[in-house]
Amino acid sequence: EVQLVESGGGLVKPGGSLRLSCAASGFTFSSYSMNWVRQAPGKGLEWVSSISSSSGYIYYADSVKGRFTISRDNAKNSLYLQMNSLRAEDTAVYYCARDSGGYNRFDYWGQGTLVTVSS
Amino acid sequence: EIVLTQSPGILSLSPGERATLSCRASQSVSSSYLVWYQQKPGQAPRLLIYGASSRATGIPDRFSGSGSGTDFTLTISRLEPGDFAVYYCQHYGSSPLYSFGQGTKLEIK
C-alpha cells in the first residue's frame, strides 16, 4: 500500500525556518517524481515545488522561489522541503504528493502537515 | 501563465441529481494534462479524472470528464451523499508547472 507521511510542521515566527519531511513507503520511491502542494486555511490548492526521481529536475512556484528548497534522499525513501524566510502567507497545510510515473498528475497524497507562521 | 477558472463557485444539489462542474482555461491547453481532484473536509485531495476523461483507479463510472481546448467539464451522473465535496481541476504546463482552479464546492441542497 502506498503511504506518504508528512512531518515537521508547526508554529514559526515570520522570518524563521522549518524543514518538512515526507516518508514514503509501499512503492519504489526512487522511480517517481515528487511534489509539495499547499493549502492555506479555507483556501484552494497551490502547487509549491517538484523534484524528479533522481533530483535532476527541480521546479518552484514563483511565490517560494529563492526561499524554499526541495530535496530527496532515495536511500531513505524521503522527500524534504526546507523553508526559509517564512512569511504569514506561507501558513498552510503542506501535502506531499506522488507524480504518477511521469504522467503529471498526483495519484497519491499524504495527510498533510500544518505550518503556521505567526508572531 | 495559464489560469484555470472553475464555475460555479458553489453548486447546491440533492442526492440523485446530476452535477456539472466547469473548468475554463485562459488559453488552449492539452487535454492530456487536465486533471480533476475531489477533496473532502479534513482530507487530502483524491485523484478522480486524468487526461480530461479517464477515470483513476477505483473511481465509479458515475464520474466522467470531457472537454478540450479551453473548456472542460466534470459530470457526476447521480449524486450520492459521499460526493458532496470540493472539486479542483489542475493543469500541467510550463509556468507555473502545475496550476489549480480555485475549486467548486458541491453542497447538499
Side-chain angles (χ1 to χ4, degrees), chain B:
Chain B
E1 177 183 350
I2 292 175
V3 176
L4 300 178
T5 302
Q6 294 186 240
S7 61
I10 301 174
L11 182 59
S12 299
L13 293 170
S14 301
E17 290 193 295
R18 179 187 186 93
T20 302
L21 287 67
S22 172
C23 175
R24 177 163 290 178
S26 57
Q27 57 187 276
S28 184
V29 300
S30 169
S31 59
S32 297
Y33 299 130
L34 197 288
V35 179
W36 290 92
Y37 299 92
Q38 176 195 67
Q39 186 180 33
K40 297 180 180 180
Q43 296 185 16
R46 173 194 183 194
L47 176 64
L48 284 180
I49 300 287
Y50 62 91
S53 61
S54 297
R55 278 185 298 277
T57 302
I59 301 303
D61 59 8
R62 299 183 292 102
F63 292 86
S64 63
S66 63
S68 62
T70 60
D71 292 308
F72 297 88
T73 300
L74 173 69
T75 302
I76 311 171
S77 58
R78 296 170 306 280
L79 285 168
E80 295 188 358
D83 298 336
F84 291 91
V86 180
Y87 292 83
Y88 295 94
C89 58
Q90 178 208 45
H91 180 258
Y92 165 79
S94 54
S95 181
L97 192 63
Y98 294 95
S99 52
F100 288 93
Q102 83 279 16
T104 290
K105 182 180 181 180
L106 178 57
E107 64 176 25
I108 299 177
K109 188 174 181 179

Side-chain angles (χ1 to χ4, degrees), chain A residues 35 37 39 43-47 50 59-62 95 99-100 102-107 109-112, chain B residues 32-33 35 37 39 42-47 49-51 88 90-92 95-102:
Chain A
N35 307 270
V37 177
Q39 186 169 37
K43 303 298 183 182
L45 302 170
E46 179 189 16
W47 168 77
S50 296
Y59 305 91
Y60 298 100
D62 287 346
Y95 296 99
D99 182 292
S100 61
Y103 293 102
N104 306 303
R105 56 187 183 261
F106 305 154
D107 59 353
W109 298 63
Q111 85 289 350
Chain B
S32 297
Y33 299 130
V35 179
Y37 299 92
Q39 186 180 33
Q43 296 185 16
R46 173 194 183 194
L47 176 64
I49 300 287
Y50 62 91
Y88 295 94
Q90 178 208 45
H91 180 258
Y92 165 79
S95 181
L97 192 63
Y98 294 95
S99 52
F100 288 93
Q102 83 279 16

Side-chain angles (χ1 to χ4, degrees), chain A residues 4-51:
Chain A
L4 298 170
V5 180
E6 302 94 336
S7 61
L11 175 63
V12 61
K13 289 181 168 53
S17 298
L18 213 55
R19 189 195 195 205
L20 306 183
S21 299
C22 173
S25 61
F27 65 102
T28 305
F29 181 73
S30 59
S31 296
Y32 290 83
S33 293
M34 296 295 296
N35 307 270
W36 289 100
V37 177
R38 69 184 180 182
Q39 186 169 37
K43 303 298 183 182
L45 302 170
E46 179 189 16
W47 168 77
V48 173
S49 183
S50 296
I51 186 168

